Amino acid sequence: WAVTKLGVMNAPMFSSLAERIGASASSFEPVNLSMTLWAFARAGYLDEQLFRAVATQVRRNLPNFQPQQIANTAWALAKSGLGDDAFFDSVAKAALAKLGDFKPMNFSMLVHALALAKLRHRRVFEEVGRMCSVQALSASPAAAPYLLTSLAVAYSFYGGDLGREVLEAVAEVAIDDMPRFRTRQIAALAQAFAKAGVANEGLFRGCLTPEVCARLTEFRRDELHDVLGAYEHLGIPTEEIRRLMGPQQPVEPASRAWVWLFFSIFFALLGTVARTTAGPAAAGRSSRPGAR
């Protein structure tokens, strides 16, 4: 957990830890399991064997998990790509039994995890949706960017009238906190609203547009692409942002940039191989009798 918080990614160390943790997971307390899984997922070290072994142990001990531990564990296992609907259904049931004790950060992480796991657990989403009042969401200012982005992503996945209601509450709170959002969170928020078809004028025209314009140089190309794509999907004008971008090349999706990079490297290697092969062949021809 400490190494992850410091932003250190040491693959050999994580590999060694994964082996030891997998062998001794049965002796871990809920708090240890949840923090360990969160740290591995946050660091991007997704060891399938470890996560499956620990998931088995988590399921046995779910009644002993506290709200934050349930939320952290659900998010980590969903982030790992664990495709186990029965497991996440068990997590949802354990969460419902203690949902009254969940803080906004906990329940936002829980529904985000279910969205990542592609599980529309109706009762969890409905119960959490009822907890998403503007007053409740405004009570955790320090965590607002992460909390609001997670809820937006989760309820854009869930959809329906409930999804739109939660997104409207998210918009009202986000408008006052936008300067503290990271650029990737702004892009994710815009994409979530576009997916749900919620064109909140106050959020987009009154808040996101001036915020993006003021911080334009902070955005990566793929983030700008996502923001502009969200605007266009919702039919919101992008001229003000594009005017400040100036005569730049059109913003390409990250995936397209990777394709170009792949082909550039491929053809460069192909040229190297061709020259290497041609060299010995040319030398062979010059060494034949009669060659000049």
Side-chain angles (χ1 to χ4, degrees):
W1 177 87
V3 171
T4 301
K5 289 291 283 185
L6 289 171
V8 177
M9 178 54 193
N10 185 307
M13 181 193 70
F14 275 96
S15 178
S16 177
L17 285 172
E19 186 176 343
R20 291 174 179 272
I21 293 166
S24 58
S26 60
S27 64
F28 277 47
E29 295 293 326
V31 65
N32 306 134
L33 286 173
S34 66
M35 289 179 68
T36 299
L37 289 171
W38 180 89
F40 271 77
R42 188 74 174 79
Y45 192 86
L46 307 177
D47 186 295
E48 183 179 357
Q49 186 175 350
L50 169 67
F51 278 81
R52 289 198 174 277
V54 176
T56 301
Q57 187 63 27
V58 167
R59 187 180 295 182
R60 294 194 189 110
N61 289 296
L62 271 173
N64 300 319
F65 278 60
Q66 296 304 309
Q68 184 175 347
Q69 296 159 9
I70 293 173
N72 285 348
T73 301
W75 178 84
L77 288 168
K79 186 74 172 175
S80 77
L82 180 71
D84 188 340
D85 286 354
F87 171 81
F88 287 105
D89 190 62
S90 298
V91 169
K93 289 176 181 175
L96 284 168
K98 300 178 179 180
L99 204 55
D101 296 326
F102 274 61
K103 295 178 181 178
M105 176 58 82
N106 305 145
F107 64 63
S108 68
M109 187 178 285
L110 173 66
V111 291
H112 189 199
L114 295 179
L116 288 175
K118 304 283 191 290
L119 182 64
R120 283 185 174 86
H121 195 287
R122 183 180 60 81
R123 193 176 161 204
V124 170
F125 276 92
E126 288 182 354
E127 293 287 341
V128 171
R130 280 193 279 271
M131 299 166 73
C132 291
S133 66
V134 171
Q135 182 179 2
L137 300 184
S138 302
S140 305
Y146 181 85
L147 185 159
L148 296 172
T149 304
S150 295
L151 285 173
V153 170
Y155 279 92
S156 70
F157 161 78
Y158 189 72
D161 291 339
L162 177 61
R164 286 187 286 276
E165 288 172 14
V166 172
L167 285 170
E168 292 290 359
V170 165
E172 188 170 339
V173 179
I175 286 170
D176 294 328
D177 263 314
M178 196 53 60
R180 296 196 298 110
F181 277 65
R182 296 180 181 180
T183 54
R184 60 180 173 80
Q185 292 171 326
I186 292 174
L189 194 69
Q191 284 280 294
F193 274 75
K195 182 178 179 179
V198 178
N200 185 286
E201 288 286 320
L203 177 66
F204 280 86
R205 292 198 182 197
C207 180
L208 286 183
T209 296
E211 191 70 24
V212 172
C213 289
R215 298 166 58 186
L216 193 64
T217 57
E218 298 176 28
F219 282 80
R220 298 199 314 262
R221 288 175 64 83
D222 59 310
E223 292 169 347
L224 274 177
H225 176 270
D226 288 345
V227 170
L228 293 173
Y231 271 68
E232 289 164 1
H233 181 80
L234 292 169
I236 299 173
T238 61
E239 287 80 2
E240 190 173 345
I241 298 174
R242 290 188 182 278
R243 184 168 58 250
L244 283 177
M245 289 172 63
Q248 301 178 6
Q249 293 295 321
V251 178
E252 297 181 24
S255 57
R256 189 181 302 173
W258 279 109
V259 169
W260 281 112
L261 178 60
F262 169 79
F263 278 110
S264 298
I265 294 172
F266 174 77
F267 285 117
L269 289 172
L270 195 63
T272 302
V273 171
R275 288 193 299 273
T276 304
T277 305
R285 284 195 301 271
S286 63
S287 63
R288 288 198 305 270
R292 294 182 182 181

